[in-house]
């Protein structure tokens, strides 16, 4: 094999300095890197005697990196086959136990087996095709989509570029107390200056995304986790953290005008502002903050750019998988769990702790289902009317986190006009694309998705009146009210008035504007129309 020829020979025995494991690998026959030989490795790969499901190219790169790190160069002398790098039999036993605990329920297809009751099944990332013209009404054909292998290679190359550029991984980190310097070489002074004002409501996420070269989600999340000292608190491995956030950012579809990584970064920034509300800040535990930020970052991951009714009426397999209930939100949650386990971010925590985090993340992400808007709104209103919210109770704090995430998810009309307008145009463009698909295949056009009848001002007026305003009125009551809440409500009413005037300007006098007959608190149909 050309990659390893002249370096190690046919039997590789070395120790990954990062993992502390001995690895025996049987080399794959010669073949081009893109040939079928280089697909998923069929021959068992052993790690301390444990069989692992790995791909050979990725494994080889890890082995070469470990070899260079240990010996200072690629041409270090080989060790004899009889020489083992494991220190003792106890180390092997401990290694077996750790790997069994972390991987016993993982299958090669990326799902979890039901080894015991309550084990969460995770979805295999990259296994679901994008919503595309070629896959509608055609069960026998599948559109040409980016394969899982290509996505893994792309992600790995991106992570290698980070490793090469990061002063952290080259051992050049300044030893300044309280600072991790995770992003020293990843952004310049203007982005640093923006991060110093990340808690302000007029934070321009569009500018920040440009300054970070499209890496706003990864950069912002690393900063926010560091601000709260959560990396130290949970003893997170910084390489695994960056890998997890990189996977999340990549799995957002950049071709979506609205539901993309930039939207996730915007929601995370809004969530950070809500977590700093005086009524919340002193009551939240580090776990609450960690859950809130992580759920915000991953709440729409792998969004296909269409809404749940579209998936149902086109008989998409996700709709069947989740029985037409919270289809997208369930997919976002299961995908997030899969990414957590793929990256190993929580693998050092006790199993019951990591499983609890996964379940609570699911509860938060599922709360963003817009069809459950009235359920949460009525419960929230009832708590406020009865004045029985006790933030010393974990269950009540979790409920407020759900409400905060829902607010962050739909907060765009509460931003200042220039930012709000951009988001409004983006979400309407995504609606219109869905409507074009439905029109092309003679499907009923979903509400708010008909570009010929639903103008941007009309869509926004409906969205504000039936979704945003009722929710933020109650949030305003909850904060008693805070300066941030007053600012948001001021922007909301100004933007609503602006959209109203624009709708009147674009609506012919003999045509009735698009509207809904239902009252805001009774709008299940309105909720179904929001992707």
């Amino acid at each position: 094999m050309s990659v390893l020829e002249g370096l190690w020979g046919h039997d590789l025995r070395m120790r990954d300095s990062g993992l502390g494991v001995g690895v025996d690998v049987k080399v794959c026959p010669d073949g081009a890197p893109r040939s079928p030989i280089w697909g998923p490795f069929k021959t068992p790969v052993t790690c301390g005697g444990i069989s692992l499901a790995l791909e050979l190219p990725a494994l080889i790169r890890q082995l070469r990196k470990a070899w260079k790190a240990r010996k200072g160069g690629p041409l270090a002398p080989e060790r004899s086959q009889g020489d083992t790098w494991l220190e003792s039999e106890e180390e092997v036993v401990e290694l077996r136990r750790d790997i069994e605990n972390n991987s016993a329920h993982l299958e090669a297809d990326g799902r979890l087996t039901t080894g015991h009751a309550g084990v969460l099944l995770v979805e295999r990332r990259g296994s679901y095709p994008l919503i595309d013209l070629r896959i509608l009404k055609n069960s026998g054909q599948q559109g040409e989509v980016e394969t899982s292998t290509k996505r893994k290679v792309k992600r790995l190359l991106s992570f290698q570029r980070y490793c090469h550029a990061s002063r952290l991984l080259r051992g050049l980190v300044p030893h300044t107390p309280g600072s991790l310097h995770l992003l020293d070489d990843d952004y310049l002074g203007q982005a640093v200056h923006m991060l110093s004002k990340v808690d302000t409501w007029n934070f321009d996420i569009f500018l920040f995304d440009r300054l970070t070269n499209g890496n706003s989600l990864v950069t912002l999340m690393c900063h926010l986790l560091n601000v709260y000292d959560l990396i130290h608190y949970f003893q997170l491995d910084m390489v695994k953290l960056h890998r997890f956030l990189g996977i999340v950012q990549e799995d957002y579809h950049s071709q979506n005008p609205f539901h993309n990584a930039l939207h996730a970064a915007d929601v995370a920034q809004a969530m950070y502002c809500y977590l700093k509300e005086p009524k919340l800040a002193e009551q939240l535990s580090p776990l609450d903050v960690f859950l809130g930020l992580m759920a915000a970052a991953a709440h729409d991951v792998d969004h296909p750019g269409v809404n749940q009714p579209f998936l149902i009426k086109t008989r998409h397999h996700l709709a069947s998988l989740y029985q037409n209930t919270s289809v997208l939100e369930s997919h976002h949650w299961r995908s997030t769990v899969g990414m957590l386990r793929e990256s190993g971010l929580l693998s050092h925590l006790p199993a019951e702790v990591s499983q609890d985090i996964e379940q609570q993340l699911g509860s938060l992400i599922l709360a963003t289902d817009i069809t459950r808007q009235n359920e949460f709104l009525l419960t929230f209103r009832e708590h406020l009317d009865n004045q029985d919210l006790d933030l010393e109770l974990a269950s009540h704090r979790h409920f407020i986190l759900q409400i905060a995430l829902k607010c962050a998810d739909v907060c765009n009309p509460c931003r200042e006009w220039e930012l709000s307008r951009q988001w409004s145009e983006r979400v309407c463009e995504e609606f219109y694309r869905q409507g074009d698909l439905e029109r092309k295949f003679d499907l009923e056009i979903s509400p708010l998705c008909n570009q010929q009848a639903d103008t941007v001002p009309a869509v926004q007026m409906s969205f504000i009146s039936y979704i945003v305003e009722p929710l933020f009125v109650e949030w305003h009551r909850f904060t008693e009210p805070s300066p941030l809440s007053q600012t948001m409500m001021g922007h909301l009413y100004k933007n609503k008035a602006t959209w109203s005037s624009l709708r009147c300007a674009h609506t012919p006098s003999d045509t009735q504007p698009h509207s809904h007959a239902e009252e805001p608190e009774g709008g299940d149909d309105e909720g179904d129309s929001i992707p």
Side-chain angles (χ1 to χ4, degrees):
M1 182 170 58
S2 57
V3 176
L4 298 177
E5 203 166 18
L7 287 179
W8 293 321
H10 297 295
D11 246 344
L12 307 180
R13 179 180 291 271
M14 59 190 311
R15 179 173 180 173
D16 185 323
S17 59
L19 298 177
V21 297
V23 183
D24 284 335
V25 181
K26 294 302 182 181
V27 178
C28 188
D30 291 340
R34 299 186 178 216
S35 68
I37 295 176
W38 286 81
F41 194 45
K42 303 302 181 183
T43 305
V45 181
T46 60
C47 181
I50 305 299
S51 177
L52 299 176
L54 298 176
E55 291 189 3
L56 184 57
L59 179 62
I60 290 175
R61 282 188 283 268
Q62 293 179 12
L63 295 177
R64 295 185 66 181
K65 186 181 298 184
W67 181 275
K68 292 178 183 178
R70 184 175 180 87
K71 303 303 293 182
L75 299 179
E78 300 180 87
R79 291 188 174 251
S80 64
Q81 182 157 346
D83 185 13
T84 177
W85 289 20
L86 292 177
E87 302 297 338
S88 64
E89 184 177 352
E90 288 75 10
E91 184 177 352
V92 176
V93 174
E94 182 179 357
L95 174 64
R96 287 176 183 267
R97 185 182 304 112
D98 290 342
I99 295 179
E100 287 172 357
N101 289 338
N102 293 330
S103 306
H105 300 291
L106 263 180
E107 296 177 345
D109 67 351
R111 293 181 177 270
L112 293 179
T113 61
T114 54
H116 59 276
V119 171
L120 178 65
L121 296 180
V122 298
E123 293 185 18
R124 179 182 180 183
R125 298 186 316 98
S127 63
Y128 299 108
L130 304 177
I131 300 300
D132 187 85
L133 297 175
R134 293 167 295 217
I135 64 175
L136 295 178
K137 286 193 168 184
N138 192 344
S139 58
Q141 295 181 359
Q142 178 174 333
E144 296 179 4
V145 298
E146 187 179 24
T147 64
S148 177
T149 300
K150 289 183 178 179
R151 298 181 72 178
K152 289 179 180 178
V153 171
K154 179 181 177 182
R155 181 174 67 250
L156 181 60
L157 292 176
S158 176
F159 185 64
Q160 286 178 335
R161 285 195 295 270
Y162 166 77
C163 292
H164 178 74
S166 173
R167 294 165 64 185
L168 170 68
L169 299 182
R170 295 204 307 267
L172 302 178
V173 183
H175 297 287
T176 305
S179 176
L180 294 176
H181 295 275
L182 288 174
L183 307 166
D184 286 300
D185 288 335
D186 295 329
Y187 58 89
L188 300 176
Q190 294 183 22
V192 175
H193 178 70
M194 287 195 69
L195 284 176
S196 68
K197 300 182 178 181
V198 71
D199 59 344
T200 59
W201 190 244
N202 61 350
F203 187 84
D204 189 343
I205 197 66
F206 297 102
L207 174 60
F208 186 71
D209 192 60
R210 292 193 294 271
L211 292 176
T212 56
N213 195 28
N215 290 306
S216 56
L217 181 58
V218 173
T219 306
L220 180 67
M221 284 297 296
C222 284
H223 176 75
L224 296 182
L225 293 173
N226 193 26
V227 165
Y228 278 106
D229 201 31
L230 296 175
I231 298 175
H232 285 146
Y233 182 86
F234 289 101
Q235 293 295 298
L236 301 178
D237 184 292
M238 289 176 286
V239 175
K240 291 180 180 180
L241 174 63
H242 195 280
R243 172 172 166 77
F244 169 75
L245 294 174
I247 296 173
V248 171
Q249 180 173 270
E250 178 195 318
D251 273 19
Y252 278 96
H253 301 177
S254 59
Q255 67 268 29
N256 289 345
F258 182 83
H259 289 103
N260 50 40
L262 185 59
H263 166 64
D266 183 65
V267 172
Q269 190 271 334
M271 190 68 172
Y272 175 65
C273 292
Y274 298 157
L275 294 177
K276 290 178 68 66
E277 286 279 24
K279 192 163 183 179
L280 272 179
E282 296 181 358
Q283 302 291 338
L284 295 177
S285 68
L287 177 59
D288 295 328
V289 176
F290 180 74
L291 289 169
L293 293 176
M294 295 290 278
H299 78 284
D300 272 333
V301 70
D302 201 28
H303 196 292
V306 294
N307 61 9
Q308 174 173 297
F310 182 90
L311 297 178
I312 293 174
K313 64 187 174 185
T314 56
R315 298 188 177 127
H316 194 274
H317 64 90
L318 285 178
S320 301
L321 179 64
Y322 296 114
Q323 300 179 349
N324 300 342
T325 303
S326 297
V327 174
L328 288 171
E329 291 72 27
S330 297
H331 177 58
H332 303 326
W333 168 37
R334 299 296 178 85
S335 298
T336 301
V337 172
M339 287 182 270
L340 281 171
R341 298 186 179 187
E342 178 180 339
S343 64
L345 180 63
L346 306 179
S347 60
H348 63 291
L349 299 177
E352 60 274 12
V353 174
S354 60
Q355 289 175 11
D356 180 65
I357 290 176
E358 292 171 356
Q359 293 292 340
Q360 292 199 60
L361 282 175
S363 177
L364 292 174
I365 293 174
L366 289 174
T368 63
D369 184 354
I370 207 71
T371 64
R372 300 179 64 193
Q373 175 82 356
N374 295 324
E375 171 192 339
F376 282 95
L377 184 59
L378 293 175
T379 304
F380 192 28
R381 185 177 296 152
E382 182 179 351
H383 277 305
L384 295 177
D385 291 341
N386 297 333
Q387 298 182 353
D388 59 358
L389 275 174
D390 183 2
L391 296 183
E392 292 185 359
L393 298 177
S395 60
H396 284 199
R397 292 199 307 272
H398 185 79
F399 175 74
I400 293 301
L401 285 178
Q402 291 176 314
I403 297 296
L405 182 57
K406 289 177 67 66
C407 289
D409 192 24
V410 297
C411 73
N412 303 141
C414 299
R415 299 282 190 179
E416 61 181 18
W417 169 252
E418 191 55 36
L419 297 176
S420 178
R421 179 188 58 81
Q422 293 183 66
W423 286 117
S424 300
E425 293 172 350
R426 284 169 173 258
V427 73
C428 287
E429 174 62 25
E430 191 164 300
F431 290 177
Y432 297 154
R433 289 186 183 184
Q434 175 177 325
D436 292 341
L437 282 175
E438 293 167 332
R439 182 180 298 106
K440 182 176 181 65
F441 291 98
D442 298 323
L443 301 171
E444 180 183 358
I445 298 179
S446 300
L448 308 183
C449 296
N450 189 347
Q451 188 170 6
Q452 299 173 0
D454 302 314
T455 64
V456 175
V459 171
Q460 288 305 301
M461 284 297 297
S462 178
F463 181 57
I464 291 173
S465 298
Y466 301 111
I467 300 296
V468 182
E469 187 174 357
L471 180 61
F472 276 89
V473 165
E474 302 305 325
W475 181 260
H476 189 66
R477 289 176 60 195
F478 168 72
T479 58
E480 294 185 342
S482 67
L484 172 59
S485 181
Q486 293 175 337
T487 299
M488 291 192 300
M489 295 304 292
H491 289 324
L492 178 63
Y493 292 132
K494 288 180 182 178
N495 293 339
K496 184 179 180 181
T498 303
W499 287 122
S500 180
S501 62
L502 289 175
R503 183 178 67 170
C504 294
H506 287 84
T507 302
S509 58
D510 57 346
T511 303
Q512 294 296 326
H514 178 78
S515 62
H516 296 273
E518 299 293 332
E519 293 297 326
E521 55 267 38
D524 284 344
D525 293 338
E526 289 82 2
D528 287 343
S529 68
I530 307 298

